[in-house]
Amino acid sequence: MGDLGKLAKKRRFDSPEQQVYLSLWRSYDRLRAIEEALFNRWNLTAQQYNVLRLLEAKHPEAIPTLQLSSKLISRAPDITRMLDKLETQGWIRRDRSSEDRRAVLVALTPKGLALVKEMASSVKQMHVAQVGHLTVDQTRSLLELLEVVRAPHEPMDSDWKT
């Protein structure tokens, strides 16, 4: 039995692959707790913040809902309801496309832009709290490994594909 197999067995994992997966899941859970604490201050979820950031990158342009949905970090099966909440807060606006009445265009409002700018420093500090203890080399290595792990599972048209 190889070193990885021994390590998995010692810690009661079924396999090294399971250990890696569960370690990723645990890491995500620990990092997400920090994220939730921050976003709760603005009554936002991480997914909603992701929408606002994507819209900020295109501001002042509007983008189709389907395009926005495809760029999210994690899948959002009910993007309409999520956009409803953001629109109710006055952070986004939705309009029908004049070229294709079936398409809904989404844009950041001035209030939404102000919110993203207000949050920017806190979000940056959050990321430092999450992974700032890593060295530059560790950060680079982790990014490379995560890309390798994700690669066979990313859609061909993903912005995350390298």
Side-chain angles (χ1 to χ4, degrees), residues 60-92:
E61 295 176 39
I63 62 173
T65 302
L66 290 176
Q67 182 182 348
L68 176 64
S69 182
S70 73
K71 292 186 175 300
L72 292 173
I73 293 172
S74 57
R75 293 182 308 111
D78 197 356
I79 190 159
T80 301
R81 188 167 36 173
M82 181 173 30
L83 294 177
D84 287 344
K85 291 177 182 177
L86 294 172
E87 189 172 38
T88 298
Q89 293 294 328
W91 295 327
I92 67 162

Side-chain angles (χ1 to χ4, degrees), residues 128-142:
V128 170
Q130 289 170 314
V131 294
H133 58 282
L134 299 175
T135 66
V136 171
D137 286 342
Q138 288 171 328
T139 301
R140 187 177 304 113
S141 295
L142 180 58

Side-chain angles (χ1 to χ4, degrees), residues 7-24:
L7 182 60
K9 197 161 191 80
K10 179 180 174 186
R11 294 180 125 203
R12 299 185 192 161
F13 297 104
D14 294 340
S15 67
E17 293 82 5
Q18 181 190 52
Q19 183 178 7
V20 167
Y21 175 77
L22 293 176
S23 182
L24 284 168

Side-chain angles (χ1 to χ4, degrees), residues 82-150:
M82 181 173 30
L83 294 177
D84 287 344
K85 291 177 182 177
L86 294 172
E87 189 172 38
T88 298
Q89 293 294 328
W91 295 327
I92 67 162
R93 74 169 200 282
R94 290 183 279 187
D95 301 299
R96 290 268 173 209
S97 167
S98 58
E99 292 143 19
D100 180 355
R101 297 292 297 155
R102 296 169 297 171
V104 175
L105 302 175
V106 186
L108 200 59
T109 64
K111 184 178 176 182
L113 182 62
L115 175 67
V116 173
K117 291 190 180 309
E118 175 189 334
M119 294 177 69
S121 176
S122 296
V123 171
K124 187 174 182 177
Q125 290 171 9
M126 173 192 66
H127 293 309
V128 170
Q130 289 170 314
V131 294
H133 58 282
L134 299 175
T135 66
V136 171
D137 286 342
Q138 288 171 328
T139 301
R140 187 177 304 113
S141 295
L142 180 58
L143 285 169
E144 289 171 2
L145 286 171
L146 291 171
E147 286 179 15
V148 171
V149 169
R150 253 191 344 266

